[in-house]
Amino acid sequence: MKAIIYRDHGGPDVLRLVDRDLPLPGPGEVRVKVAVSGVNPTDWQARSRAAHPRPFPEATPHLDGAGVIDTVGDGVDRGRIGERVWLYMAAAGRPTGTAAQYTVVPAERAVPLPDEAGFDLGAALGVPALTAHRALTVAEDGPHRLRPGALDGRVVLAAGGAGAVGHAVIQLARWAGATVISTVSGPEKARLATAAGAHHVVNYRAGDPAAEIRGIAPDGVDIVAEVALGANLALDLAVLKTRGTIATYANDGGKPVELNVPQSMVLNARLQFLVLYTAGPAARAAAVEDVAAAVRDGALPVGEEHGLPLVRFPLQHTADAHRAVESGAVGKVLVDIAS
């Protein structure tokens, strides 16, 4: 089979297209013929971090993808052979990510994908959708699971609604019944956030964004899903409801975080940091179940018309896909695996 591998940390040029034997699933595992692989910032970060030990002599990157189970290991229902699935955390603690024609994952990391959902959608779930779910379910007063109606009466602020996680935050929050506000940097990203389903879009670079958000939500915002904490924390606190939650999954731009402690104390604010790797198995399992339900309801479409443009590369140009993500490509970067 064809696979992308790297043996050393470094830039995109360390990625190589090679021939490898088909991997065999062990007990409790499935082998998936990958159709589409999704690329996330965490994929290039894992590739580039020389300070981090490499647990395997070589690794195939990418956590997310979609395809069809073609064989299973001991202890897995053989009825799953032929099942369409989306994959998450494929390369987490394992050498076999989704940038290959076949990959092996624990059976629970291969989630059934409905026939009406395309492989592009399946490959775009994983990190973005599960992260969005986590951001929307960490508030002290809940909800801790998402379903239609779970966020009725709540106001959610999706920072950076044109990004992959921001897009999923908008869609999941709207599916769950929230009023959704998104902050963006300009008209084009406003168009994307609106297409994703945001009820209100605010340009944080123009006018008085805090006043504009307060005009929409006079009592404040219940949950902020934050992508650039250092840059946006002052705005977040200015619009946060008492006992509200700021759930941050990134600090894009790298600006140092300056926290107004008295203001945060008076608000009884919750500042929740999150990453999937350490969220715990129970939180991840709940996120998978709820995201799968949203997919079945048709609540998570992708593509330009749904606010998430798809940027495609063939397998042999995976290095270019990494460069696109590193340079901040708008939309979801996908690698087409099938020849």
Side-chain angles (χ1 to χ4, degrees), residues 300-335:
L300 294 173
V302 298
E304 178 87 24
E305 68 276 23
H306 302 295
L308 191 70
L310 303 179
V311 184
R312 317 190 75 95
F313 296 86
L315 181 61
Q316 64 269 29
H317 292 160
T318 297
D320 291 331
H322 279 225
R323 292 185 185 97
V325 176
E326 290 185 55
S327 64
V330 175
K332 182 65 184 181
V333 174
L334 301 176
V335 172

Side-chain angles (χ1 to χ4, degrees), residues 84-166:
R84 302 170 75 254
V85 293
W86 58 275
L87 308 177
Y88 70 96
M89 295 182 67
R94 304 173 62 83
T96 52
T98 65
Q101 290 178 317
Y102 293 83
T103 192
V104 168
V105 297
E108 66 273 12
R109 297 186 192 178
V111 187
L113 184 67
D115 289 342
E116 60 272 18
F119 289 132
D120 289 352
L121 168 58
L125 295 171
V127 168
L130 300 182
T131 298
H133 182 281
R134 179 71 173 155
L136 293 169
T137 55
V138 292
E140 181 178 2
D141 300 322
H144 303 300
R145 297 292 298 266
L146 296 183
R147 65 184 187 282
L151 288 170
D152 280 354
R154 309 290 180 92
V155 179
V156 169
L157 174 60
V165 177

Side-chain angles (χ1 to χ4, degrees), residues 29 143 179 238 290 299 317:
E29 296 179 336
T179 296
D290 294 350
H317 292 160

Side-chain angles (χ1 to χ4, degrees), residues 155 179 181 200 202 208-221 235 238-240:
V155 179
T179 296
I181 305 169
H200 308 277
V202 174
D208 186 342
E212 190 171 348
I213 293 169
R214 280 287 183 177
I216 298 165
D219 295 331
V221 171
L235 173 61
V239 302
L240 194 67

Side-chain angles (χ1 to χ4, degrees), residues 8 21 56 68 71 109 182 184 191-192 207 246 258 266 296 311 316-317:
D8 298 297
D21 293 335
F56 309 105
V68 177
T71 191
R109 297 186 192 178
S182 180
V184 297
R191 182 185 66 81
L192 294 174
I246 301 168
E258 297 181 3
V266 169
R296 291 193 297 271
V311 184
Q316 64 269 29
H317 292 160

Side-chain angles (χ1 to χ4, degrees), residues 2-258:
K2 298 292 184 183
I4 296 292
I5 61 102
Y6 63 96
R7 295 195 178 98
D8 298 297
H9 290 292
D13 290 339
V14 301
L15 299 173
R16 297 173 49 211
L17 180 67
V18 298
D19 289 304
R20 287 291 180 266
D21 293 335
L22 284 177
L24 297 175
E29 296 179 336
V30 299
R31 186 174 70 197
V32 176
K33 184 177 182 181
V34 183
V36 183
S37 177
V39 191
N40 298 288
T42 190
D43 295 317
W44 72 257
Q45 291 162 3
R47 183 214 72 224
S48 65
R49 287 176 178 167
H52 288 226
R54 288 187 301 111
F56 309 105
E58 71 174 42
T60 291
H62 300 178
L63 295 167
D64 299 341
V68 177
I69 294 175
D70 86 314
T71 191
V72 300
D74 290 344
V76 179
D77 180 6
R78 291 188 59 81
R80 296 200 67 185
I81 295 174
E83 185 177 71
R84 302 170 75 254
V85 293
W86 58 275
L87 308 177
Y88 70 96
M89 295 182 67
R94 304 173 62 83
T96 52
T98 65
Q101 290 178 317
Y102 293 83
T103 192
V104 168
V105 297
E108 66 273 12
R109 297 186 192 178
V111 187
L113 184 67
D115 289 342
E116 60 272 18
F119 289 132
D120 289 352
L121 168 58
L125 295 171
V127 168
L130 300 182
T131 298
H133 182 281
R134 179 71 173 155
L136 293 169
T137 55
V138 292
E140 181 178 2
D141 300 322
H144 303 300
R145 297 292 298 266
L146 296 183
R147 65 184 187 282
L151 288 170
D152 280 354
R154 309 290 180 92
V155 179
V156 169
L157 174 60
V165 177
H167 176 266
V169 168
I170 292 170
Q171 291 185 324
L172 283 173
R174 179 144 186 171
W175 174 67
T179 296
V180 184
I181 305 169
S182 180
T183 51
V184 297
S185 60
E188 177 57 22
K189 290 186 177 180
R191 182 185 66 81
L192 294 174
T194 300
H199 296 93
H200 308 277
V201 178
V202 174
N203 186 336
Y204 63 82
R205 292 180 174 173
D208 186 342
E212 190 171 348
I213 293 169
R214 280 287 183 177
I216 298 165
D219 295 331
V221 171
D222 294 276
I223 300 170
V224 180
E226 185 55 73
V227 66
L229 186 66
N232 296 335
L233 182 55
L235 173 61
D236 294 343
L237 289 173
V239 302
L240 194 67
K241 181 182 287 188
T242 301
R243 293 175 58 82
T245 295
I246 301 168
T248 182
Y249 57 90
N251 190 28
D252 284 4
K255 183 178 178 180
V257 176
E258 297 181 3

